[in-house]
């Protein structure tokens, strides 16, 4: 079992797909209002990152690992569908540091009849997020298009999320794939082309250090 860390280098739009009376789009969060990054989302961006590296290797005539190797590790079939049986790579939700202690404290506060109106889910979420407002612009005029003002809640910069990953019977090739995928992963969430969602992704174990693995990468 290894620890995967994602640090937000910019505000990040990790949307839940839902909104409310005051917000068009809100952040994925738990029942207390604490944000987290779902395992499925992490798995998806790591898979995309690994594919990108494999494609670069293919173009560079390197055979260190292939797209097929990536699909095996991420339990994908040749038609890019997720294979549910016997997954090699398991990824857990990424949460804030000391999540259990924080969640327990908030649960105690929200269970108090006098405090629950103060420590609401929205107020807790507001401690980790901020609002962004945007509108469509009329082409050639530079003015805001009427009726297009929207808002979204974003995760604040410098937040860190951690979660566990496990790999059954991991090979050297699979270790290298994951190392490259992690190093190559620089973004998550929406509107990345506008500066949102820049991240730094790391694994805590030295066995995944890409400099250490470099000899295997280039001398295979």
């Amino acid at each position: 079992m290894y620890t995967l860390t994602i640090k937000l280098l910019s505000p990040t739009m990790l949307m839940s797909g839902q909104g409310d009376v005051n917000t068009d789009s809100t952040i994925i969060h738990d029942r207390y209002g604490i944000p987290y990054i779902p395992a499925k989302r992490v798995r998806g961006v790591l898979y995309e990152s690994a594919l990108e590296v494999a494609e670069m290797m293919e173009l560079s005539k390197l055979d260190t690992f292939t797209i097929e190797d990536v699909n095996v590790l991420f339990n994908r079939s040749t038609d890019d569908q997720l294979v549910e049986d016997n997954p090699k790579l398991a990824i857990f939700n990424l949460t804030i540091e000391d999540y259990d202690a924080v969640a327990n404290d908030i649960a105690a506060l929200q269970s108090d009849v006098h405090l629950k109106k103060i420590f609401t889910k929205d107020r807790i979420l507001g401690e980790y997020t901020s609002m962004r407002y945007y509108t469509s612009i009329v082409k050639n005029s530079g003015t805001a298009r009427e009726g297009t003002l929207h808002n979204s809640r974003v995760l604040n910069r410098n937040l860190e999320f951690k979660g566990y990953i496990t790999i059954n019977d991991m090979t050297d090739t699979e270790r290298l794939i994951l190392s490259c995928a992690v190093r190559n992963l620089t973004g998550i969430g929406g509107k990345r082309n506008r500066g949102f969602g820049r991240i730094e992704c790391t694994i805590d174990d030295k066995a995944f250090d890409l400099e250490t693995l470099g000899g295997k990468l280039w001398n295979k």
Side-chain angles (χ1 to χ4, degrees):
M1 186 174 288
Y2 308 97
T3 300
L4 184 75
T5 300
I6 288 181
K7 179 178 181 179
L8 307 186
L9 303 181
S10 71
T12 298
M13 304 179 77
L14 203 64
M15 301 308 181
S16 66
Q18 299 178 339
D20 54 36
V21 174
N22 300 311
T23 309
D24 295 321
S25 299
T26 194
I27 290 295
I28 296 171
H29 59 278
D30 66 9
R31 58 179 175 152
Y32 304 115
I34 306 173
Y36 67 96
I37 306 179
K40 186 175 181 180
R41 193 75 61 92
V42 177
R43 188 185 191 89
V45 292
L46 280 175
Y47 175 64
E48 291 173 2
S49 180
L51 280 183
E52 186 175 39
V53 176
E55 288 166 357
M56 287 189 289
M57 288 184 174
E58 186 176 275
L59 290 172
S60 301
K61 308 300 182 183
L62 293 171
D63 61 353
T64 308
F65 61 80
T66 66
I67 292 174
E68 183 179 353
D69 293 326
V70 172
N71 285 333
V72 170
L73 176 59
F74 285 87
N75 303 93
R76 295 274 182 165
S77 63
T78 54
D79 56 356
D80 196 29
Q81 296 299 309
L82 182 62
V83 179
E84 299 292 347
D85 295 337
N86 302 317
K88 286 186 66 68
L89 175 64
I91 301 176
F92 298 80
N93 291 341
L94 272 61
T95 59
I96 61 168
E97 190 171 4
D98 298 324
Y99 169 80
D100 289 338
V102 173
N104 287 336
D105 288 345
I106 293 174
L109 292 169
Q110 292 179 343
S111 66
D112 186 295
V113 66
H114 300 294
L115 297 176
K116 65 180 182 180
K117 292 183 179 180
I118 299 175
F119 294 94
T120 63
K121 181 170 66 174
D122 288 342
R123 180 163 291 182
I124 299 301
L125 184 61
E127 291 297 312
Y128 300 96
T129 62
S130 55
M131 297 297 297
R132 291 290 187 274
Y133 298 86
Y134 50 94
T135 187
S136 298
I137 302 299
V138 178
K139 190 175 181 180
N140 299 326
S141 73
T143 60
R145 191 180 300 277
E146 185 177 354
T148 62
L149 179 64
H150 297 284
N151 59 34
S152 295
R153 190 174 290 280
V154 299
L155 290 167
N156 292 332
R157 176 179 161 184
N158 291 327
L159 286 174
E160 283 192 3
F161 296 85
K162 296 179 182 289
Y164 292 118
I165 61 173
T166 61
I167 307 175
N168 293 330
D169 302 319
M170 181 170 52
T171 65
D172 287 342
T173 296
E174 290 166 344
R175 189 188 305 276
L176 195 54
I177 291 171
L178 193 54
S179 297
C180 290
V182 166
R183 175 65 68 87
N184 185 56
L185 182 58
T186 59
I188 193 171
K191 297 189 182 297
R192 283 179 257 177
N193 61 340
R194 298 189 181 182
F196 290 94
R198 292 189 297 108
I199 65 171
E200 179 182 72
C201 186
T202 56
I203 297 182
D204 66 343
D205 197 287
K206 290 183 179 179
F208 290 92
D209 182 72
L210 201 54
E211 280 70 28
T212 302
L213 293 169
K216 294 179 181 180
L217 176 62
W218 305 120
N219 298 322
K220 181 175 177 181

